[in-house]
């Protein structure tokens, strides 16, 4: 007989005391005789990395199942119990997102991009006339599709009309559409078309933020990786003077904080190797001026709700990460979770 796990402490976001038991893969507050108390402290309903691409060590490589296992384990060790992969190097194995070695997962399959754009060797490049149908087919299979709508500064942006049709078709099959954008024109097209999430959003016009909030368009700023790339570029003054990247990246922290202030759903995502670095993204959000509470929300309860999972309530999936101290008051706690529970099983 499998032992029933028990956790107790203060559940975020409210900080109310809870005493929860894992009834298989569901939490219940009904006491279970003989349950094993595995941890007590400050409890989050699992961390979330909403923008990660596990399974390939370098851009353009095919999906490697051994690498995928290692990447997913790194996520689990960091307290991440749910990931969203808006783009993968290939279709993942059936156990992806379901096996004990994997966080829960949603994904968008291979990226969809225009000819001559994006990483060579990755993704599909349909003609523009076929792009909406390709996106809808992907979303029908996995719930999400991901379109790279802009790439280099002088590349054509996916036209608003094409993108709007893609949104319509994806929504018609019950799916959602994420888009990669790192230029102002792409951000404008994304908002005009009514996509579900803007990934990166570097160069996004801040005037669009109220409209994003009203339309329910999420922003995943991947702030830590953009900040790190900016630092690498500005370390070389000559490169910094000529790089298109610098203006948008320099304003990205301010844009992210403004998005939270405007009521946009902001999601925490790492978009980088090594995997398991969600704590860096949370701290980058705080450094940008986002409150610790909102930064943790972007990597936990808000992100889970956006992806369709409830928090620490009866009947919710039995995921949790437990810390000794309230991580909102001590962000270093994120590096040392006391316990990580996925599907009612303690994996740390």
């Amino acid at each position: 007989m499998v032992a029933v796990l028990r956790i107790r402490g203060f559940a975020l976001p409210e900080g109310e005391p809870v005493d929860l038991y894992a009834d298989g893969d569901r939490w219940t507050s009904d006491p279970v005789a003989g349950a094993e108390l595995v941890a007590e402290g400050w409890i989050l309903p699992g961390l979330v990395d909403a923008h990660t691409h596990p399974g390939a060590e370098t851009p353009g490589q095919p999906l490697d199942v051994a690498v995928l296992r290692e990447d997913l384990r790194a996520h689990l060790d960091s307290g991440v119990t749910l990931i969203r992969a808006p783009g993968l190097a290939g279709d993942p194995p059936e156990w992806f997102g379901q096996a004990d070695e994997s966080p829960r997962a949603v994904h968008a399959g291979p990226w969809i991009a225009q000819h001559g754009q994006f990483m060579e060797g990755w993704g599909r490049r349909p003609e523009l006339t076929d792009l909406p149908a390709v996106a809808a087919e992907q979303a029908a299979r996995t719930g999400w599709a991901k379109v790279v709508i802009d790439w280099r500064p002088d590349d054509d942006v996916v036209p608003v009309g094409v993108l709007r049709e893609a949104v319509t078709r994806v929504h018609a099959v019950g799916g959602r559409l994420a888009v990669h954008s790192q230029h102002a024109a792409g951000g404008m097209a994304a908002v005009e078309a009514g996509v579900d999430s803007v990934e990166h959003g570097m160069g996004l016009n801040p005037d669009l933020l109220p409209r994003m909030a009203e339309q329910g368009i999420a922003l995943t700023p991947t702030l830590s990786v953009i900040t790190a790339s900016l630092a690498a570029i500005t370390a070389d003054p000559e490169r910094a003077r000529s790089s298109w990247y610098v203006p948008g990246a320099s304003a990205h922290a301010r844009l992210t904080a403004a998005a939270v202030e405007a009521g946009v759903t902001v999601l925490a995502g790492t978009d980088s190797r090594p995997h398991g670095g969600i704590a860096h993204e949370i701290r980058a959000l705080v450094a940008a001026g986002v409150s610790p509470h909102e930064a943790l929300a972007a990597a936990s309860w808000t992100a889970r709700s956006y992806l369709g999972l409830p928090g620490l309530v009866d009947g919710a999936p039995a995921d949790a990460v437990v810390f000794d101290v309230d991580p909102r008051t001590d962000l270093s706690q994120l590096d040392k979770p006391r316990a990580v529970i996925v599907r009612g099983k303690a994996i740390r």
Side-chain angles (χ1 to χ4, degrees), residues 118-137:
F118 195 52
M119 305 287 188
E120 185 177 353
W122 273 359
R124 293 174 288 175
R125 287 163 178 78
E127 299 299 327
L128 282 175
T129 53
D130 297 327
L131 188 150
V134 171
E137 181 274 332

Side-chain angles (χ1 to χ4, degrees), residues 273-329:
R273 302 188 67 86
H275 292 273
I278 194 63
H280 299 304
E281 183 67 10
I282 296 169
R283 287 192 278 260
L285 291 171
V286 173
V290 178
S291 73
H293 183 89
E294 293 291 350
L296 277 170
S300 184
W301 55 88
T302 293
R304 287 179 71 90
S305 176
Y306 179 80
L307 294 172
L309 294 181
L312 295 166
V313 296
D314 280 50
D319 301 341
V321 58
V322 186
F323 300 98
D324 289 327
V325 176
D326 185 347
R328 296 173 300 180
T329 64

Side-chain angles (χ1 to χ4, degrees), residues 48-289:
V48 181
D49 191 329
H51 189 120
T52 180
H53 309 293
E57 291 186 335
T58 58
Q61 287 188 336
L63 189 76
D64 184 315
V65 173
V67 173
L68 181 64
R69 291 183 191 277
E70 293 175 2
D71 292 344
L72 295 174
R73 183 68 211 193
H75 279 301
L76 286 176
D77 286 344
S78 72
V80 168
T81 63
L82 172 64
I83 65 170
R84 181 185 58 153
L88 287 169
D91 288 320
E94 290 186 3
W95 55 261
F96 179 70
Q98 302 178 45
D100 291 346
E101 60 201 293
S102 173
R104 299 181 197 272
V106 295
H107 72 90
W111 296 263
I112 302 168
Q114 297 186 82
H115 292 286
Q117 299 186 22
F118 195 52
M119 305 287 188
E120 185 177 353
W122 273 359
R124 293 174 288 175
R125 287 163 178 78
E127 299 299 327
L128 282 175
T129 53
D130 297 327
L131 188 150
V134 171
E137 181 274 332
Q138 176 63 57
R141 289 196 299 119
T142 63
W144 280 87
K146 167 77 172 293
V147 177
V148 180
I149 62 171
D150 62 39
W151 192 238
R152 294 177 294 267
D154 54 349
D155 285 339
D156 291 333
V157 175
V158 173
V160 172
V162 172
L163 197 55
R164 187 177 289 122
E165 184 181 356
V167 170
T168 298
R169 292 201 185 190
V170 166
H171 288 178
V173 299
R176 298 165 97 177
L177 185 67
V179 298
H180 166 109
S181 175
Q182 53 191 6
H183 302 294
M188 175 66 76
V191 176
E192 287 288 335
V195 304
D196 294 290
S197 72
V198 174
E199 307 303 304
H200 316 299
M202 198 175 71
L204 187 69
N205 186 336
D207 291 343
L208 294 173
L209 295 175
R211 188 170 171 186
M212 289 177 66
E214 182 180 350
Q215 295 177 209
I217 301 174
L219 172 66
T220 315
T222 61
L223 185 57
S224 54
V225 70
I226 288 176
T227 301
S229 297
L230 176 64
I233 291 172
T234 54
D236 180 346
E238 184 172 341
R239 184 184 177 197
R241 280 193 297 271
S242 61
S243 174
W244 64 266
Y245 195 86
V246 171
S250 298
H252 202 49
R254 294 191 299 275
L255 173 74
T256 300
V260 173
E261 183 68 23
V264 175
T265 297
V266 171
L267 308 174
T270 56
D271 190 35
S272 64
R273 302 188 67 86
H275 292 273
I278 194 63
H280 299 304
E281 183 67 10
I282 296 169
R283 287 192 278 260
L285 291 171
V286 173

Side-chain angles (χ1 to χ4, degrees), residues 8-12 14-18 40-44 312 328:
R8 68 185 179 196
F10 302 98
L12 294 178
E14 290 84 6
E16 295 294 325
V18 296
E40 51 185 324
W42 287 83
I43 308 170
L44 276 70
L312 295 166
R328 296 173 300 180

